[in-house]
Amino acid sequence: LIYISRGISINKDETFFILINEEDHLSLISQSNDGKMNETYSRIIRAINKINETIEFQQHQNIFCN
């Protein structure tokens, strides 16, 4: 990932973006210019799995989270 500015990162192909602390949220954007939805979907799933392996998230007992 290339760090564009504080809180924004993008991959070298410009197909995956991470926005951190956008209104206290983490936003992931996976896009494709060639219509290959399978690659776009796989990219976002890999990112979500890596984030879940790396970061411990706070969860409230009254909020349902998988």
Side-chain angles (χ1 to χ4, degrees), residues 1 3 6-10 16-30 44 46-58:
L1 289 175
Y3 299 100
R6 185 174 159 182
I8 302 173
S9 298
I10 184 172
F16 185 76
F17 303 82
I18 299 176
L19 298 107
I20 301 170
N21 281 337
E22 180 185 11
E23 298 181 14
D24 294 331
H25 291 81
L26 178 66
S27 296
L28 308 174
I29 301 168
S30 181
I44 197 79
R46 284 193 312 272
I48 290 168
N49 289 336
K50 188 65 175 177
I51 289 169
N52 282 328
E53 292 172 7
T54 307
I55 299 172
E56 182 178 333
F57 288 93
Q58 287 266 329

Side-chain angles (χ1 to χ4, degrees), residues 13-17 29-41 43:
D13 297 326
E14 297 183 359
T15 57
F16 185 76
F17 303 82
I29 301 168
S30 181
Q31 64 182 19
S32 172
N33 293 326
D34 55 12
K36 296 181 180 177
M37 291 302 295
N38 189 36
E39 290 178 15
T40 305
Y41 179 76
R43 186 181 313 112

